[in-house]
Amino acid sequence: MEHFYLICAYVLSGILGLCVGSFLNVVIYRWPNNMSIAKPNSHCPTCKYELRWYDNIPVLSYLMLGGKCRSCKTHISFRYTAVEVANTILWLLCAFLFWQKSIPLACIYMLVCSIFICIFFIDLEHKIILDRFQIALLVLGVAAIFFDKDVAWGSHIIGGLAGFVVFYLISWGFEITRHKEGLGGGDVKLAGVVGLLLGWERLLLGLLIATIPAAIILALLSRGKEGEEREFPFAPFLVIGFGISMLFGSGIIGWYLSLFGI
């Protein structure tokens, strides 16, 4: 019977993750453009064709329409399907990894994954991290303190303070030495709220995972063809690093320490 309930939980997590992923597309498109997520109804941005319910079935509608608008045949970005699939996979991972340990923690991590997806795509396109996402992560971080049995509450507090202070000092030092913004305020706040969520150990691991590929790509792309400097979105790398650390960090840290017999 226990296995039956687990299977039901996994199936439900996948279905809800797919539906929430469809909603995330609305958030990613509308919030950075100061649009309501309730009105108007979903429509084609080119011909304004209002989508019917059968045009809004996650993944399936994209496949059935061949990736084009039903009315004007304009190409629909694959990003919409990618968001739906990514959110589904991440919600399933959270269920597999944490449901038996703590159902509330699994639900918290599912919501965090959805917020990370929004931050990833919005920062990639608009180079901003909306404060409403930071507030939501802060609330979830506080909730995680009470349900995360693998990390001491002191680690959560230290992680929140360290994440904010260290990133702020890096940003301040960059402005002093280079006379320009190095890290955006959104990145600083993100490190703080995620540090509270994960604890300082997993925060550090997430930063290591994020900064290595970011440093390589920054070195390659920081200057344009004529030598002008480009603005570089760092949050996509941060949320990938933090996401990996959130889901697998305890295992990675435990494996690393075991190499030294700790």
Side-chain angles (χ1 to χ4, degrees):
M1 186 64 69
E2 181 180 353
H3 292 295
F4 173 76
Y5 287 133
L6 276 177
I7 292 173
C8 289
Y10 297 154
V11 172
L12 183 60
S13 297
I15 294 173
L16 288 176
L18 187 61
C19 295
V20 171
S22 182
F23 172 72
L24 296 184
N25 280 312
V26 178
V27 173
I28 292 169
Y29 176 72
R30 296 192 181 192
W31 272 2
N33 294 303
N34 296 316
M35 298 171 60
S36 168
I37 59 174
K39 295 181 179 180
N41 294 332
S42 297
H43 59 277
C44 172
T46 302
C47 68
K48 308 305 179 184
Y49 165 74
E50 186 173 309
L51 275 62
R52 307 294 187 260
W53 68 268
Y54 45 79
D55 297 319
N56 265 327
I57 302 174
V59 180
L60 290 179
S61 291
Y62 183 90
L63 296 176
M64 289 188 295
L65 292 171
K68 297 179 181 179
C69 171
R70 184 182 297 276
S71 177
C72 67
K73 307 304 179 183
T74 299
H75 173 70
I76 301 172
S77 174
F78 182 70
R79 187 205 73 193
Y80 293 98
T81 299
V83 167
E84 293 165 353
V85 172
N87 198 69
T88 303
I89 292 173
L90 289 172
W91 277 45
L92 282 171
L93 269 175
C94 290
F96 284 133
L97 296 172
F98 302 104
W99 194 267
Q100 290 181 283
K101 293 182 180 180
S102 171
I103 294 176
L105 186 64
C107 294
I108 289 171
Y109 284 170
M110 288 174 185
L111 294 175
V112 170
C113 286
S114 295
I115 295 172
F116 279 174
I117 289 174
C118 291
I119 292 174
F120 180 97
F121 285 101
I122 291 176
D123 193 56
L124 197 63
E125 182 176 356
H126 299 276
K127 297 181 177 63
I128 58 173
I129 305 176
L130 300 177
D131 283 342
R132 60 194 70 182
F133 294 135
Q134 311 275 21
I135 295 172
L137 288 173
L138 176 62
V139 173
L140 293 172
V142 172
I145 295 176
F146 298 96
F147 297 106
D148 188 355
K149 304 302 182 183
D150 294 332
V151 179
W153 68 268
S155 177
H156 287 282
I157 303 299
I158 294 172
L161 294 174
F164 180 83
V165 172
V166 171
F167 263 52
Y168 178 81
L169 291 176
I170 293 173
S171 177
W172 176 76
F174 203 92
E175 290 184 13
I176 294 297
T177 57
R178 300 290 296 276
H179 305 292
K180 61 182 179 180
E181 184 179 80
L183 289 173
D187 296 326
V188 175
K189 288 181 281 188
L190 181 63
V193 294
V194 173
L196 179 66
L197 173 75
L198 301 182
W200 72 266
E201 300 96 337
R202 287 186 294 172
L203 172 69
L204 179 59
L205 175 63
L207 289 176
L208 289 173
I209 296 172
T211 52
I212 293 174
I216 295 172
I217 295 177
L218 177 60
L220 296 174
L221 302 179
S222 60
R223 295 188 178 276
K225 295 180 180 179
E226 300 179 357
E228 76 277 7
E229 295 191 354
R230 294 178 179 176
E231 188 176 356
F232 183 74
F234 189 32
F237 294 96
L238 286 177
V239 296
I240 290 175
F242 291 151
I244 293 174
S245 184
M246 180 179 73
L247 296 175
F248 307 108
S250 296
I252 294 173
I253 293 171
W255 167 80
Y256 180 76
L257 293 177
S258 69
L259 297 178
F260 302 93
I262 301 177

